[in-house]
């Protein structure tokens, strides 16, 4: 039976999780690979059962406790990330403290302490109102260039240029079909280079003319919200002129 690489990875994860379940049922405490596989597989199966992302993460965090794993595992495995196929598409699930809440020993040498950004997300630099005109829910992950998100999301595209959702790393923000919600955004950090995504930039975000060209491409491809590119964030007229054949 021919399988895609993704399907092979899923079967490998399931096999490792089944081994972990068998050993756990025998009363054995699990090591790092076993515990990680079992928690990750639980998310994938919860998605297959039709649960939403938050529900799948909650189910995964209830599978194992500190007493179910070998000493040191709780300190080593502080977060597990896995891609799972939900009803509204493939989404990255980030399970923080996968074995339940634990006390952090601030004085322990080498202790890794989460920042408020990792738990709650960074403080938004800008907030936009977004309307999902699609017939299905749309989710946008934490480090996606929001300007290039789904064409059926209607918001001020120019205001979102060079920014990403102000949510914890690995999390995602869901816009329900036909619904409207506000989302906080923060500037993309680092070298500020956008490669891939929807292909509207594919290069340095702050290069001369990059924003104007991205607006032109978005208008030509029918992205909603380009006509809002006015005021301090952009020039709607210039974007429309650039899209004219």
């Amino acid at each position: 039976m021919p399988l895609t690489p993704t399907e092979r990875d899923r079967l490998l994860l399931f096999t490792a999780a089944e081994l972990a379940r068998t050993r756990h049922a025998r009363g054995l405490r699990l090591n790092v690979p076993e515990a990680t596989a079992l928690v990750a597989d639980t998310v994938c199966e919860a998605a297959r059962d039709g649960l939403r992302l938050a529900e799948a993460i909650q189910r995964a965090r209830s599978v194992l406790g500190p007493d179910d794993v070998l000493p040191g595992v709780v300190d080593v495995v502080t977060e597990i990330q896995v891609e799972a196929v939900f009803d509204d598409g493939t989404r990255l699930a980030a399970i923080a403290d996968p074995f339940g809440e634990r006390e952090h020993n601030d004085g322990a040498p080498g202790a890794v302490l989460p920042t408020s950004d990792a738990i709650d997300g960074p403080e938004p630099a800008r907030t936009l109102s977004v309307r999902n005109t699609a017939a299905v829910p749309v989710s946008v992950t934490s480090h996606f260039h929001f300007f290039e998100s789904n064409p059926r999301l209607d918001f001020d595209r120019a205001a979102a240029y060079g920014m990403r959702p102000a949510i914890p790393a690995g999390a995602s923000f869901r816009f329900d079909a036909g619904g409207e919600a506000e989302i906080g955004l923060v500037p993309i950090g680092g070298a500020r280079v956008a490669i891939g995504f929807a292909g509207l930039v594919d290069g340095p975000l702050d290069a001369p003319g990059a924003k104007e060209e991205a607006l032109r491409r978005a208008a030509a491809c029918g992205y909603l919200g380009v006509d809002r590119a006015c005021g301090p964030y952009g020039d709607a007229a210039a974007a429309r002129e650039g899209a004219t054949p």
Side-chain angles (χ1 to χ4, degrees), residues 31-231:
N31 58 27
V32 169
E34 294 165 346
T36 301
L38 182 51
V39 171
D41 181 72
T42 299
V43 171
C44 294
E45 289 303 300
R48 186 68 176 84
D49 289 341
L51 271 64
R52 297 180 62 171
L53 178 61
E55 298 169 328
I57 291 176
Q58 187 60 36
R59 176 183 288 185
R61 294 182 76 243
S62 66
V63 172
L64 298 174
D67 294 335
D68 297 315
V69 296
L70 291 170
V73 172
V74 172
D75 296 318
V76 172
V77 186
T78 58
E79 183 179 79
I80 296 173
Q81 295 188 5
V82 62
E83 285 190 345
V85 181
F86 292 83
D87 289 344
D88 57 348
T90 300
R91 303 172 70 182
L92 177 66
I95 307 99
D97 288 335
F99 312 112
E101 297 292 341
R102 61 192 180 93
E103 294 184 0
H104 298 283
N105 184 357
D106 295 4
V112 179
L113 303 178
T115 65
S116 59
D117 282 5
I119 299 173
D120 303 319
E123 186 70 22
R126 178 174 300 156
T127 300
L128 293 182
S129 178
V130 181
R131 184 168 61 93
N132 180 13
T133 67
V136 296
V138 173
S139 295
V140 182
T141 53
S142 59
H143 284 69
F144 196 92
H145 184 203
F146 198 71
F147 171 85
E148 302 183 61
S149 58
N150 194 292
R152 296 299 93 196
L153 293 180
D154 189 6
F155 60 92
D156 188 342
R157 294 276 168 179
Y161 184 84
M163 309 194 83
R164 68 173 182 86
I167 56 179
S172 62
F173 194 99
R174 173 186 170 112
F175 299 95
D176 290 327
E180 187 167 350
E182 289 192 342
I183 185 171
L185 302 176
V186 293
I188 292 175
R192 287 183 57 78
V193 174
I195 299 295
F197 299 113
L200 299 180
V201 181
D202 267 346
L205 288 162
D206 302 320
K211 181 175 181 178
E212 291 74 16
E213 174 61 16
L215 284 167
R216 186 196 68 78
R217 292 179 181 179
C221 294
Y223 278 69
L224 296 179
V226 177
D227 58 346
R228 299 191 193 181
C230 55

